[in-house]
Amino acid sequence: MKNNLFIISGPSASGKDTIIKELKKQGVKFQRVITTSTRPMRQGEKQGSPYWFISKEDFEDLIKEDKFVEWALVYGNYYGTQKKDLDRCLKTGQLVILKVDPQGARSIKHKFPSAKIIFIIPPDLETLEKRLKLRGKDSPESIKRRLEKAKEELENLNQWDYLVLNEQGKLDKAVEEVKRILKGA
Ligand code: 5GP
């Protein structure tokens, strides 16, 4: 299979969404897979952007019906990639970008070995904490969980295909690097 599936992963608040948004702004042509979540919608979000927001019960029904390529419990909420959403993007033949947490990235790679994982590294845990607090979208408890998880996720960096450091104030550099990786596809 031609390699056109890229997984963007990394700890919470490492800058994955910002990088993806910037790629779009700069005219990079790609299909973004919309994944499904049971977490509450945040201000400014809507159905289908960035997730299909559904109830826990509906999510569990979809699990039973085997509708997911992968799913995970992340910070107490379900997140998953539905087969139909990934298939729809892959069928276009365009570059496909999927944003998932590191465990999701590993399971997708297992099923699609030619997919490439781009792991976004935040500068350091203090900056990550500041970003999480600044975006004001998560409770103190959720921030604590996200930071603990980030610490784990920043071990074993050699398991990923590409590493991109998203330094504070140097978003352009990270975006350029991701663009270079995508171009090499
Ligand atoms: P957030 O709640 O901040 O939007 O996302 C929390 C985490 O869930 C992020 O690390 C994000 O990458 C991950 N995530 C989003 N969609 C999926 C998915 O379909 N599967 C998995 N495993 N993780 C996901």
Side-chain angles (χ1 to χ4, degrees):
M1 189 185 91
K2 185 174 155 261
N3 171 41
N4 59 355
L5 176 58
F6 283 86
I7 303 164
I8 300 213
S9 195
S12 181
S14 55
K16 304 179 292 279
D17 277 313
T18 316
I19 291 173
I20 296 172
K21 267 190 212 144
E22 194 58 29
L23 290 171
K24 193 157 200 178
K25 220 163 98 189
Q26 295 187 16
V28 179
K29 293 263 175 297
F30 63 89
Q31 293 284 325
R32 177 166 183 182
V33 184
I34 300 170
T35 60
T36 302
S37 177
T38 62
R39 81 144 161 74
M41 227 185 256
R42 296 173 185 151
Q43 218 184 351
E45 294 181 338
K46 54 181 198 258
Q47 194 53 264
S49 174
Y51 298 113
W52 303 121
F53 292 96
I54 64 170
S55 68
K56 251 184 169 151
E57 293 70 30
D58 287 349
F59 199 103
E60 285 166 355
D61 283 345
L62 292 176
I63 296 175
K64 279 184 214 138
E65 291 161 15
D66 194 26
K67 299 285 190 202
F68 290 103
V69 188
E70 65 78 38
W71 63 269
L73 254 180
V74 188
Y75 319 118
N77 290 301
Y78 285 122
Y79 292 81
T81 312
Q82 290 195 55
K83 289 176 184 168
K84 69 172 169 63
D85 293 316
L86 178 59
D87 283 351
R88 193 189 308 122
C89 292
L90 289 174
K91 270 191 198 137
T92 65
Q94 280 188 28
L95 213 61
V96 176
I97 291 183
L98 173 63
K99 181 202 92 165
V100 288
D101 82 321
Q103 54 179 324
R106 274 190 294 265
S107 24
I108 301 266
K109 175 94 177 179
H110 189 70
K111 292 183 182 160
F112 296 85
S114 67
K116 296 283 182 231
I117 303 176
I118 304 175
F119 191 88
I120 311 293
I121 309 178
D124 51 68
L125 290 171
E126 291 75 49
T127 313
L128 207 59
E129 186 170 4
K130 266 191 218 145
R131 283 186 194 170
L132 281 164
K133 285 184 176 157
L134 213 82
R135 73 180 187 184
K137 292 171 174 173
D138 302 283
S139 64
E141 177 54 32
S142 165
I143 291 180
K144 197 169 154 247
R145 266 187 286 168
R146 284 168 192 255
L147 284 171
E148 278 162 10
K149 190 100 191 125
K151 222 186 253 177
E152 278 171 43
E153 290 167 351
L154 289 166
E155 289 163 9
N156 291 325
L157 289 177
N158 57 1
Q159 64 184 303
W160 313 113
D161 297 307
Y162 300 98
L163 297 176
V164 172
L165 180 63
N166 187 15
E167 287 175 85
Q168 196 60 15
K170 292 190 183 163
L171 175 68
D172 286 355
K173 194 168 160 236
V175 172
E176 276 312 309
E177 217 165 306
V178 173
K179 272 164 76 177
R180 198 174 41 78
I181 296 167
L182 298 177
K183 262 192 202 140

